[in-house]
Amino acid sequence: MKRVAIKPRSDWQEKAVEYGFYFHTMYDEPYWSEDYYYEFTEREIDELEDTTNELHQMSLEAVDLVINNESLLKKFRIPEHVWEFVADSWHKKEPSLYGRFDFAYDGKTPPKMLEYNADTPTSLYESAFFQWIWLEDQIERGQLPESADQFNSIQEKLIGRFAHFKEWHGISKLHFTCCSDTEEDRGTIQYLQDCALDADLANDFLFVEDIGITENGQFTDVNDELIRTIFKLYPWEFMFREEFANYLDSRKTLWVEPGWKSILSNKAILPLLWSMFPNHPNLLESYFAEDSKANNLSTYVKKPLFSREGANISIVDRGSVISEIDGPYGEEGYIVQSYYPLPKFEDNTTLVGSWVVGDESAGICIREDKEIITQDLSRFYPHAMIG
């Protein structure tokens, strides 16, 4: 695994706009960056793929354990009034679409799981589509060898997954939704809608704020059409704590991601996995913050059960906070995870995101920052597999 300098495409910004990648620059800071790329060998990619598949299956085992354990449901802070809804979604095998593991990986030591973004992961469009366009362009321009490849079957698998929804689950139309105040989420949804259309799955969009409810508790769109199946880029932990949750009933509306993803995406999965698979080479020692075993860790990362883009995460070394990010999370509780430094490439900390579509590893993405905690504005770099 290497960080390699490369000449950026002179027209990449025009291409970004052409393809609808409007958030390539945010707050006057570059988000998409292509003055470097990350180079991987086939062995390294195989290791990431195998690790992703194994950890995903381990995580599903953890979900099955939580579903049947009231004590764990409470530790995961899943509200009691949605326990039946979450359990039903699992027992009925309601289908999931995608997720993303975050790994610390340098190509030399085994990947370490930092967390599993299994409910509302973003950076999908740039991972699945725009970095592939970058690869094709750089090969065509002679900046990369013709044999260069990329670990990236995300788009192909997404289209296949939507076809699976249609064929095996009888879904004839899929609504999509996200909040109205985020350009990145809207861009992600538009990309997913295009993938659904490529699978000949009819779809429509509305903002979360515009979802209606009939007198008998069924969800409707802005045209008063009943919503039978809907993909939401909106966190379950938010939905569960709103009046909205009183009307959740999978017999009336099938949700993608399904309710059981609220367990998989919860940081509480980290100490549970450690207890189920102690000393696993791809896991980091983790505990609930209130657990006495948490005192075993002298240097650790403190994470809220519900958190995104590094918010409210702090790194503690022998009682002193060495880095922390503000944010709105933490009320429900925390876990602590043994601190494992992200690898550094020329003073840049590097995080590998590993995508899962359905139940299969599908590709990777790279985020980079000068700080030691990856955040929402951390730069995105493309990758290539050479040799």
Side-chain angles (χ1 to χ4, degrees):
M1 179 178 175
K2 296 185 290 188
R3 185 177 189 262
V4 182
I6 190 170
K7 184 179 179 181
R9 296 168 295 170
S10 59
D11 61 345
W12 75 261
Q13 290 175 309
E14 289 84 356
K15 283 203 168 190
V17 173
E18 177 187 350
Y19 289 121
F21 186 14
Y22 300 114
F23 52 95
H24 61 76
T25 301
M26 292 188 282
Y27 307 105
D28 296 323
E29 292 290 332
Y31 167 62
W32 170 271
S33 300
E34 57 175 72
D35 51 337
Y36 289 84
Y37 73 96
Y38 279 82
E39 181 182 308
F40 291 82
T41 65
E42 185 176 354
R43 179 200 66 80
E44 292 165 342
I45 293 299
D46 287 345
E47 182 174 35
L48 287 166
E49 183 176 18
D50 291 344
T51 299
T52 299
N53 285 328
E54 182 178 4
L55 287 174
H56 177 68
Q57 292 303 317
M58 289 162 54
S59 298
L60 294 180
E61 288 184 44
V63 172
D64 193 56
L65 192 63
V66 176
I67 286 290
N68 299 296
N69 189 309
E70 289 188 3
S71 176
L72 284 173
L73 285 165
K74 290 177 181 177
K75 295 202 82 166
F76 274 63
R77 301 297 191 268
I78 306 294
E80 190 169 347
H81 65 278
V82 297
W83 285 359
E84 184 177 352
F85 168 76
V86 172
D88 282 350
S89 72
W90 178 250
H91 296 315
K92 292 176 182 175
K93 296 182 167 57
E94 292 181 1
S96 65
L97 183 60
Y98 72 110
R100 191 194 74 236
F101 284 97
D102 284 344
F103 291 146
Y105 183 63
D106 60 3
K108 300 171 185 174
T109 54
K112 299 294 185 182
M113 175 183 172
L114 303 179
E115 58 190 58
Y116 194 0
N117 305 282
D119 184 24
T120 58
T122 50
S123 71
L124 177 68
Y125 169 83
E126 51 272 38
S127 299
F129 182 76
F130 203 68
Q131 71 167 337
W132 183 260
I133 296 297
W134 166 87
L135 179 77
E136 291 182 328
D137 285 348
Q138 294 293 39
I139 291 174
E140 183 180 341
R141 298 172 192 207
Q143 296 292 314
L144 290 173
E146 289 190 9
S147 60
D149 201 354
Q150 193 173 89
F151 181 34
N152 187 359
S153 61
I154 303 169
Q155 180 164 299
E156 172 190 339
K157 284 186 166 68
L158 284 171
I159 295 169
R161 193 65 177 161
F162 283 124
H164 173 83
F165 287 177
K166 183 178 178 180
E167 181 176 355
W168 293 99
H169 296 276
I171 297 171
S172 59
K173 182 176 181 178
L174 182 60
H175 281 82
F176 286 85
T177 191
C178 68
C179 288
S180 60
D181 59 353
T182 166
E183 185 176 34
E184 183 179 2
D185 286 2
R186 185 68 186 99
T188 300
I189 289 289
Q190 287 174 324
Y191 171 67
L192 287 171
Q193 286 184 265
D194 288 343
C195 290
L197 285 175
D198 284 344
D200 294 322
L201 179 57
N203 64 81
D204 204 350
F205 173 81
L206 75 164
F207 289 114
V208 169
E209 297 89 341
D210 293 330
I211 295 176
I213 301 174
T214 66
E215 289 183 359
N216 64 345
Q218 290 185 267
F219 297 110
T220 60
D221 64 14
V222 293
N223 298 313
D224 293 327
E225 178 184 345
L226 293 180
I227 297 174
R228 304 294 185 185
T229 307
I230 184 167
F231 173 89
K232 52 143 202 83
L233 201 61
Y234 186 63
W236 275 121
E237 63 265 24
F238 292 175
M239 289 175 64
F240 286 165
R241 287 157 177 81
E242 297 173 0
E243 185 180 351
F244 200 88
N246 296 325
Y247 303 96
L248 291 172
D249 184 341
S250 59
R251 292 169 299 178
K252 296 177 180 177
T253 301
L254 178 66
W255 292 89
V256 184
E257 303 293 343
W260 57 263
K261 278 288 192 89
S262 63
I263 295 171
L264 203 60
S265 63
N266 191 312
K267 301 295 190 301
I269 200 85
L270 300 170
L272 179 58
L273 284 172
W274 182 256
S275 70
M276 294 171 66
F277 306 97
N279 301 309
H280 189 283
N282 302 118
L283 296 178
L284 294 170
E285 188 174 1
S286 303
Y287 304 102
F288 290 95
E290 64 272 16
D291 191 330
S292 61
K293 292 181 180 178
N295 296 324
N296 295 346
L297 304 178
S298 59
T299 306
Y300 58 87
V301 183
K302 185 178 179 182
K303 300 180 177 182
L305 297 186
F306 309 123
S307 174
R308 281 167 172 75
E309 304 288 3
N312 296 100
I313 287 178
S314 58
I315 299 175
V316 180
D317 182 16
R318 291 181 291 272
S320 298
V321 176
I322 59 175
S323 183
E324 63 181 339
I325 303 295
D326 291 332
Y329 304 101
E331 180 181 346
E332 290 82 7
Y334 289 83
I335 63 99
V336 293
Q337 181 183 57
S338 178
Y339 177 53
Y340 188 89
L342 291 173
K344 279 199 167 188
F345 293 82
E346 301 177 27
D347 290 329
N348 300 284
T349 59
T350 301
L351 180 80
V352 176
S354 187
W355 293 93
V356 174
V357 177
D359 292 311
E360 294 183 321
S361 174
I364 61 170
C365 60
I366 308 295
R367 300 291 298 280
E368 181 185 278
D369 208 303
K370 294 292 185 183
E371 304 298 327
I372 58 178
I373 298 177
T374 306
Q375 303 169 61
D376 59 342
L377 297 181
S378 297
R379 297 177 301 280
F380 186 106
Y381 275 91
H383 79 278
M385 184 168 59
I386 299 175

